[in-house]
Amino acid sequence: MLYSELFCQSNFSFLCGASDPEELVNTAAFLNYQALAITDECSVAGVVRAHAEIKRNRLPLKLIIGASFTLAEEFSFLLLCPYKQAYSELCRIITNARSRSPKGEYHLAEWDIKSVKHCLIIWLPSLNRDVNLHWGKWLQRYHSQRCWIGVQRLLDGQDHHRFTICSDLTESFSIPLCACTGVLMHHPKQLPLQHILHAMRTGSTVDKIGIAALSNAERALRPLNKLRKLYPAQWLYETQKISELCQFSLEELKYQYPKELVPTGYTATSYLRECVEKGIKKRFPEGITHEVRQVIEKELLLIKEQAYEYFFLTIYDIVQFAQQQGILYQGRGSAANSVVCYCLEITAVDPRQINVLFERFISKERDEPPDIDVDFEHEKREQIIQYIYRKYGRQRTALAATVITFRFRSAFREVGKALGFAESQLGYVLKNINRRDKALPWQSQLSACGMDPAQVKVKQLIALVEQIIGLPRHLSQHVGGFVISDGPLHELVPTENTAMPDRTVIQWDKDDLESLALLKVDILALGMLTAIQKSFHLLNKQFPQPVSIPFITRLGDDRQVYDMVCKADTVGVFQIESRAQMTMLPRLKPRCYYDLVVQIAIVRPGPIQGEMVHPYLRRRHQLDPVVYPSKEVESVLGRTMGVPIFQEQVIQLAMVAAGFSGGEADQLRRAMASWKKNGRLYEFQEKVVSGMTQRGYDKHYANQIFEQIKGFGGYGFPEAHSASFAVLAYVSCWLKHYFPVEFYVGLLNSWPMGFYTPSQLVRDAQQHNIKVLPVCINASSIEHEVVFVQSEKAIRLGFTLIKGLSDKAKDSIVSHRPCEGYQSLRQIQQLSLSRADLTALASANAFHQLADNRYQTRWEMMNQEKNLPLFANQDSQQSFAFTPSSLDNLIEDYAATGLSIEHHPIALLANQRSLNKYCWSKDLSNKKNKSLVRIIGCVTGRQAPGTASGVTFLTLEDHFGNINVVVWQATARHQQQPYLKASLLQVDGILERSPEGVIHVIAGKLTDRSDWLSAINVPSRDFH
């Protein structure tokens, strides 16, 4: 018996289907189905994954592309694609239906169905006779030649009635019948999960959904022998007739690049060459070497052979627009391996500074579009996005989607609610479970949170949470991946609205685009570019020589800048500002650009989990010899002293040492990127180990290489990425060293961004002897500014720092400010600011020139008598008998602006309490290694890197600086409350000093002292 299932919804019918596309096609193939139609509701979001799984595993199964729809809650049907024109038609219908509705919804019009000329229609009749008669006549009139009635047998007590209705309809309208299940899961065991999803979708609980829930598991893929018993043979045979009509495959989709970028009289090849030659004069004003010319010619030839000219020209056009608008940008990704990209000014990485591997960017064997990511100033990226929409039209471009999946917190909360647990109980458990404790899984922590794992309901919660993690929740927009086409985009893939106005997304994410070899242009946002550009603007007002990234990089490696870097004085700079990076800097001691490239890549889970950090450091400092097992390995690892640091090196090792072909190496790369999800990386273990041993390598060394490959799995950092980031890291360090005031002002005016809060940045500036002036009603601008105090540069904080102050109020204060400044509160009140704005200004002490203190100001603001005509000309201050203390002012500062430039919480605490037993950050360097210390500070950061050791790094801040604290897993587990909750933390521990002078405190006892400063909320960046 032959059978094709024509009605099947995956978990891309969000909160409805309970199985992913891969599970469905694998099970259908196992059951010997001839074909399976993935028909998610008004969507083709799941078909690429089904297609890729069939292709990858060579399954003997045809995939039919289609979608299901409901019109006005009474007419349900499927559209299936027999050939490519039908697929384009389906995409158009989905696009139209989605475009009429908010994100996540669709509205189908009768015209959409009437316009169907190519798709096959399977009607799913309701149980309402009058409705069926209406739509039967309608279908007979418009679609009699391509229509079937789909009959479901679900053993739910309605089958006889359903069969009778369908039989009557086929007699009345001569529409043939076919069998279909309406599959929602690949196996009956998914039924509890489907019930949970149903409850989530309807906002109910499982015990309340009643008869609306599936009454059995018959909407799973069923064995052929069961189907033979359930349906007449003719109905089953009809599925095969429909299947044979459906010959369309996603392999037929061919991407067409936009062509209008090539001027008249040029070919794409000749115009690209002209652009490159123009760029050579700018990038290499002294001329290029024979070797660089050879590389350029090699790249241009391969670009021509692969027909990628339009792709490069598309990116070139975008970055040219950014240049014209004065928007700072930086190309990264594998494009940094291309000299052509350097000449086109897409990337800033001079190919002479790194080992260019163009095959990492484009290769014939891989035969897929190149990957170019371009970062733009995060405050101006929207200008780039709207430029793309204007240039190509919304019919031809849209953002790629990102599939948002259930993670632990959302899964636990949503499943718990669906099972009937109280939200307060779920919230309490989530707050008290330590997910970073890898040795004690969350399931084992439930009993300590008041949940008995032996209870049936709790067992169900555990099982279903484990099952739902990773399941698609909804589609969101990608951070910046644009798809641009030559013709209407909906002929390639449907688009739909996003939650943001003026944005549309396609229904596939970046992995799907990669599977189909379709172009994606990544238009990304980077806060550091905004900060650097703002610093440049400040500098270029002062100096005749324009300061820019090329200007700084052309100066070469600066010894003084690297001296600062080696001291880990890198708060606020790009990429090397985290505590882990700052700990590594004095050990690695970068002295040149390429050292920064390594520095950025080595403090990553890949090298750490692959145990590559210590071998590299020992070889770098000549403590261990640099040896290579072969010349081939040396050619790959020579630039990193025999230790693989970059993802490209791991791929190259597989090729030169294990005999992988280019295509096999790319499959390895893909497996590395996703092995945490599916474990496919282990499929390569035997090939790696056997390939290396056959070529004479020691088996221990071969196994070590595979362990390093595993370490890179999901975390591998490409050299090209690191090279691009290193440029910005160096530029930000250069600015911090030579122009620190402009650097800090640029950072503060670009916030929120980066690793540090304004409070931490201001404190770091003060520790560099930079004077910081408070927000002032007469001296401040909207943004922070560079000012001069006694011929020394200083930072004047701006109104943007004040919490709750409206943009309208900021503009009004600055635009109406008299030349001599405001002389009285009365003048401020005449600006007609809201009560909330006046209160915000007073709380931030912005009126300190006009009133004794902020309390006096608020008292004056509350006085309404002066608004009466009789008192209009009076402006005398009424006394307010309260003088705030330093603690009062500190509390107000943190509440109003999130920082204080006058006092540090710990300094005030030291004045109030006897803290003689504590060791301050400035004194730790005088303590002996391994000595016992007691420290206290505000918790400003918690980091738990993805390493096997389970260590957490805490950053404590006192009034003299920062202290690095190491908390081992056992310590965190047994002292979980202070570890997770304390904002003011006392640590009793052991001081450890590395040979390079890096100091840590190894935590022993943790004591929460938050109650000592309960009124002050010091922000902490936790587990980012």
Side-chain angles (χ1 to χ4, degrees):
M1 167 191 151
L2 300 178
Y3 176 71
S4 296
E5 179 55 63
L6 304 174
F7 182 16
C8 174
Q9 291 176 274
S10 73
N11 50 25
F12 282 87
S13 289
F14 300 110
L15 302 184
C16 186
S19 295
D20 60 48
E22 294 91 340
E23 290 172 325
L24 290 164
V25 295
N26 276 300
T27 303
F30 175 77
L31 294 173
N32 290 320
Y33 285 23
Q34 292 297 112
L36 179 70
I38 300 292
T39 54
D40 288 311
E41 188 167 10
C42 197
S43 173
V44 293
V47 298
V48 178
R49 300 190 180 193
H51 168 79
E53 185 72 6
I54 291 171
K55 184 178 178 181
R56 179 168 47 246
N57 294 331
R58 300 177 182 175
L59 300 177
L61 180 77
K62 178 194 289 186
L63 176 66
I64 299 174
I65 310 298
S68 56
F69 301 88
T70 297
L71 173 64
E73 298 185 359
E74 59 180 26
F75 178 39
S76 296
F77 61 96
L78 312 173
L79 293 181
L80 304 180
C81 302
Y83 41 82
K84 188 176 182 299
Q85 284 176 292
Y87 172 77
S88 296
E89 181 175 74
L90 174 67
C91 291
R92 186 205 75 217
I93 291 169
I94 294 173
T95 298
N96 288 338
R98 293 285 185 181
S99 66
R100 302 183 187 114
S101 301
K103 176 192 175 199
E105 301 175 19
Y106 71 95
H107 176 72
L108 202 66
E110 190 171 306
W111 177 88
D112 293 318
I113 320 167
K114 196 179 293 186
S115 68
V116 172
K117 303 295 182 187
H118 304 285
C119 289
L120 307 180
I121 300 174
I122 299 181
W123 176 27
L124 305 170
S126 70
L127 299 181
N128 185 311
R129 182 176 181 277
D130 292 337
V131 168
N132 289 335
L133 288 175
H134 167 77
W135 287 109
K137 293 175 183 177
W138 193 91
L139 287 168
Q140 187 182 46
R141 179 181 177 185
Y142 293 107
H143 299 298
S144 60
Q145 300 304 310
R146 62 172 66 85
C147 186
W148 286 261
I149 295 174
V151 190
Q152 295 173 266
R153 188 164 189 196
L154 304 176
L155 306 182
D156 58 355
Q158 296 287 330
D159 285 343
H160 179 73
H161 185 38
R162 206 178 280 120
F163 279 25
T164 301
I165 288 174
C166 291
S167 297
D168 291 345
L169 290 173
T170 193
E171 288 182 14
S172 300
F173 303 110
S174 300
I175 301 175
L177 300 173
C178 68
C180 61
T181 299
V183 171
L184 293 175
M185 45 201 167
H186 75 288
H187 191 277
K189 69 181 181 182
Q190 300 292 99
L191 183 61
L193 176 60
Q194 206 286 324
H195 284 162
I196 286 289
L197 296 173
H198 185 122
M200 289 181 188
R201 188 176 73 254
T202 57
S204 183
T205 57
V206 173
D207 60 353
K208 291 181 180 177
I209 52 180
I211 61 172
L214 298 185
S215 58
N216 56 41
E218 292 301 313
R219 292 188 71 170
L221 291 169
R222 297 180 284 194
L224 295 181
N225 58 356
K226 183 173 184 177
L227 291 168
R228 190 183 298 114
K229 296 175 183 177
L230 294 175
Y231 293 104
Q234 180 58 36
W235 297 3
L236 297 171
Y237 173 70
E238 203 69 31
T239 68
Q240 285 306 104
K241 288 177 60 178
I242 297 170
S243 174
E244 288 169 6
L245 292 172
C246 296
Q247 297 300 319
F248 170 71
S249 168
L250 291 176
E251 296 285 344
E252 298 176 43
L253 296 181
K254 297 299 178 186
Y255 181 81
Q256 296 294 321
Y257 296 93
K259 294 184 173 58
E260 63 262 41
L261 296 174
V262 177
T264 304
Y266 287 89
T267 65
T269 302
S270 64
Y271 184 58
L272 178 62
R273 175 172 286 280
E274 181 170 306
C275 294
V276 170
E277 294 296 336
K278 188 192 304 180
I280 289 173
K281 294 177 183 177
K282 293 181 69 175
R283 291 299 203 189
F284 303 93
E286 73 287 356
I288 58 173
T289 63
H290 175 68
E291 290 75 17
V292 172
R293 170 59 72 180
Q294 281 188 314
V295 173
I296 291 173
E297 294 302 326
K298 171 189 169 185
E299 291 186 19
L300 287 173
L301 178 61
L302 190 52
I303 290 168
K304 180 181 179 181
E305 290 174 349
Q306 298 296 105
Y308 290 149
E309 296 97 335
Y310 287 107
F311 176 72
F312 282 83
L313 292 171
T314 300
I315 308 293
Y316 178 68
D317 175 73
I318 293 170
V319 300
Q320 287 296 302
F321 171 78
Q323 285 188 21
Q324 293 162 12
Q325 301 300 310
I327 299 171
L328 197 60
Y329 68 90
Q330 167 79 308
R332 61 179 169 93
S334 54
N337 282 301
S338 167
V339 185
V340 165
C341 282
Y342 181 66
C343 294
L344 292 174
E345 298 181 272
I346 294 171
T347 71
V349 179
D350 189 329
R352 295 168 294 187
Q353 292 181 297
I354 65 169
N355 186 11
V356 175
L357 179 66
F358 189 65
E359 288 73 15
R360 170 70 176 83
F361 184 41
I362 298 176
S363 78
K364 278 187 180 180
E365 189 168 12
R366 199 162 69 238
D367 192 27
E368 64 183 30
D371 172 32
I372 299 180
D373 302 336
V374 186
D375 294 309
F376 296 88
E377 296 177 51
H378 77 301
E379 291 181 357
K380 296 182 179 179
R381 184 182 66 142
E382 187 64 24
Q383 293 182 37
I384 306 295
I385 289 175
Q386 294 307 321
Y387 168 73
I388 293 172
Y389 276 131
R390 287 195 306 273
K391 187 170 189 71
Y392 299 104
R394 294 184 179 272
Q395 298 297 313
R396 296 171 55 201
T397 186
L399 286 161
T402 291
V403 180
I404 303 300
T405 59
F406 283 98
R407 297 188 177 182
F408 170 73
R409 294 183 67 84
S410 59
F412 188 87
R413 190 180 298 277
E414 294 301 316
V415 171
K417 284 164 58 178
L419 287 174
F421 287 93
E423 288 192 52
S424 57
Q425 183 183 16
L426 297 171
Y428 174 80
V429 174
L430 286 172
K431 285 181 181 177
N432 288 279
I433 280 181
N434 180 13
R435 286 277 288 155
R436 286 156 291 279
D437 189 342
K438 304 300 182 185
L440 188 65
W442 66 270
Q443 298 90 333
S444 303
Q445 299 180 45
L446 290 179
S447 56
C449 300
M451 282 189 170
D452 182 3
Q455 289 184 351
V456 173
K457 200 172 178 181
V458 176
K459 286 182 178 178
Q460 291 174 333
L461 174 65
I462 292 172
L464 288 163
V465 167
E466 290 174 342
Q467 199 174 0
I468 204 173
I469 289 176
L471 208 71
R473 178 67 176 82
H474 62 269
L475 286 183
S476 184
Q477 66 181 51
H478 186 265
V479 291
F482 261 97
V483 179
I484 308 170
S485 64
D486 188 46
L489 188 57
H490 66 247
E491 293 181 358
L492 186 71
V493 56
T495 63
E496 58 182 66
N497 294 324
T498 69
M500 291 182 66
D502 301 325
R503 299 278 185 94
T504 50
V505 296
I506 65 171
Q507 289 189 331
W508 295 335
D509 74 2
K510 59 183 182 63
D511 293 332
D512 298 332
L513 291 170
E514 188 174 319
S515 296
L516 293 177
L518 300 179
L519 167 69
K520 174 173 64 70
V521 178
D522 279 326
I523 306 300
L524 306 174
L526 191 60
M528 182 51 69
L529 285 171
T530 308
I532 289 174
Q533 183 74 315
K534 290 186 176 183
S535 298
F536 286 166
H537 286 323
L538 293 170
L539 290 173
N540 292 335
K541 290 177 183 178
Q542 305 172 42
F543 303 106
Q545 170 65 54
V547 181
S548 63
I549 291 177
F551 170 80
I552 295 171
T553 55
R554 276 197 298 268
L555 295 175
D557 295 323
D558 188 302
R559 181 179 59 81
Q560 295 183 69
V561 173
Y562 282 104
D563 286 344
M564 181 191 80
V565 170
C566 290
K567 294 174 186 174
D569 183 8
T570 55
V571 168
V573 305
F574 186 59
Q575 282 293 307
I576 53 174
E577 84 281 30
S578 71
R579 301 315 303 180
Q581 287 278 4
M582 291 168 77
T583 299
M584 182 63 67
L585 287 168
R587 300 170 66 195
L588 194 144
K589 293 184 175 64
R591 302 305 308 177
C592 65
Y593 167 75
Y594 195 76
D595 286 349
L596 275 184
V597 177
V598 173
Q599 170 74 40
I600 289 169
I602 202 170
V603 187
R604 304 280 168 176
I608 292 171
Q609 291 187 350
E611 299 182 354
M612 305 166 205
V613 178
H614 291 296
Y616 177 82
L617 290 175
R618 290 187 63 82
R619 295 180 184 196
R620 178 176 174 82
H621 299 305
Q622 300 180 350
L623 299 175
D624 286 342
V626 180
V627 293
Y628 305 97
S630 71
K631 287 290 183 183
E632 291 79 10
V633 170
E634 183 177 5
S635 69
V636 175
L637 301 181
R639 61 190 186 277
T640 52
M641 300 185 176
V643 179
I645 301 296
F646 306 108
Q647 187 188 69
E648 294 99 325
Q649 291 176 298
V650 175
I651 303 301
Q652 287 175 288
L653 274 179
M655 297 175 71
V656 305
F660 277 53
S661 68
E664 289 171 330
D666 192 60
Q667 291 174 16
L668 175 63
R669 178 187 65 83
R670 293 172 187 268
M672 285 169 59
S674 60
W675 90 276
K676 294 286 184 181
K677 299 177 184 177
N678 53 40
R680 290 200 179 105
L681 190 56
Y682 283 106
E683 298 173 8
F684 294 87
Q685 182 170 10
E686 176 59 29
K687 181 167 181 59
V688 170
V689 174
S690 63
M692 291 185 68
T693 53
Q694 288 169 14
R695 285 164 178 77
Y697 294 95
D698 179 71
K699 188 171 183 179
H700 174 74
Y701 181 72
N703 282 313
Q704 182 184 352
I705 291 296
F706 185 75
E707 288 302 313
Q708 291 174 340
I709 290 173
K710 279 170 55 183
F712 272 89
Y715 300 110
F717 206 68
E719 182 178 13
H721 272 303
S722 195
S724 298
F725 283 166
V727 171
L728 297 184
Y730 179 78
V731 168
S732 60
C733 289
W734 188 91
L735 287 168
K736 179 170 183 174
H737 177 73
Y738 285 109
F739 299 98
V741 177
E742 289 83 357
F743 171 74
Y744 287 112
V745 170
L747 279 179
L748 289 167
N749 283 334
S750 305
W751 203 83
M753 57 143 285
F755 199 82
Y756 293 95
T757 63
S759 174
Q760 292 170 291
L761 294 173
V762 165
R763 187 154 300 279
D764 191 64
Q766 290 175 322
Q767 288 172 347
H768 284 78
N769 299 315
I770 295 172
K771 188 172 184 61
V772 181
L773 305 174
V775 180
C776 176
I777 196 69
N778 283 325
S780 290
S781 296
I782 294 175
E783 290 196 320
H784 313 291
E785 289 185 306
V786 178
V787 296
F788 284 87
V789 177
Q790 297 175 347
S791 74
E792 291 290 328
K793 289 180 184 177
I795 298 172
R796 169 67 74 178
L797 298 179
F799 293 119
T800 188
L801 190 67
I802 302 176
K803 298 177 184 177
L805 184 63
S806 69
D807 291 338
K808 180 181 178 182
K810 297 171 194 173
D811 291 335
S812 183
I813 293 167
V814 174
S815 62
H816 292 91
R817 185 158 55 202
C819 295
E820 68 279 8
Y822 296 105
Q823 301 299 311
S824 68
L825 295 177
R826 175 70 177 160
Q827 288 177 284
I828 305 296
Q829 288 176 310
Q830 289 174 341
L831 296 176
S832 300
L833 305 184
S834 70
R835 176 61 62 87
D837 287 329
L838 291 171
T839 301
L841 288 163
S843 297
N845 206 23
F847 300 124
H848 60 269
Q849 288 187 349
L850 307 180
D852 290 340
N853 58 67
R854 65 194 97 205
Y855 295 89
Q856 173 72 45
T857 305
R858 283 198 292 254
W859 177 259
E860 286 288 307
M861 294 295 184
M862 290 171 62
N863 184 6
Q864 298 298 312
E865 286 183 352
K866 64 184 68 177
N867 294 328
L868 300 174
L870 183 62
F871 302 99
N873 296 320
Q874 294 188 14
D875 195 36
S876 59
Q877 292 187 359
Q878 296 185 15
S879 61
F880 183 72
F882 177 75
T883 302
S885 66
S886 295
L887 179 60
D888 294 326
N889 283 325
L890 183 71
I891 292 170
E892 290 276 354
D893 282 340
Y894 270 90
T897 64
L899 60 86
S900 174
I901 62 172
E902 296 294 333
H903 306 286
H904 191 278
I906 304 298
L908 287 183
L909 194 63
N911 292 332
Q912 291 180 333
R913 293 175 176 269
S914 176
L915 301 181
N916 297 329
K917 295 180 181 179
Y918 292 97
C919 183
W920 304 119
S921 57
K922 68 181 179 64
D923 301 321
L924 289 177
S925 58
N926 300 322
K927 293 289 182 180
K928 291 182 179 179
N929 191 30
K930 304 295 183 182
S931 61
L932 293 173
V933 293
R934 172 174 290 178
I935 57 174
I936 190 169
C938 300
V939 181
T940 59
R942 295 175 173 88
Q943 286 181 273
T947 59
S949 58
V951 67
T952 301
F953 297 103
L954 300 185
T955 302
L956 301 190
E957 180 185 282
D958 64 23
H959 47 314
F960 296 110
N962 293 320
I963 306 172
N964 299 325
V965 180
V966 175
V967 183
W968 296 114
Q969 194 170 75
T971 305
R973 184 183 303 158
H974 292 103
Q975 302 178 79
Q976 186 167 308
Q977 289 300 313
Y979 161 71
L980 290 177
K981 303 295 178 61
S983 58
L984 178 64
L985 184 65
Q986 171 187 311
V987 178
D988 294 87
I990 299 172
L991 181 143
E992 281 199 357
R993 182 185 289 105
S994 74
E996 299 82 15
V998 178
I999 294 174
H1000 288 90
V1001 174
I1002 309 301
K1005 183 180 179 182
L1006 306 177
T1007 306
D1008 188 348
R1009 299 295 189 191
S1010 303
D1011 59 308
W1012 289 1
L1013 290 172
S1014 57
I1016 300 174
N1017 180 27
V1018 179
S1020 175
R1021 179 185 172 94
D1022 293 337
F1023 305 114
H1024 283 270

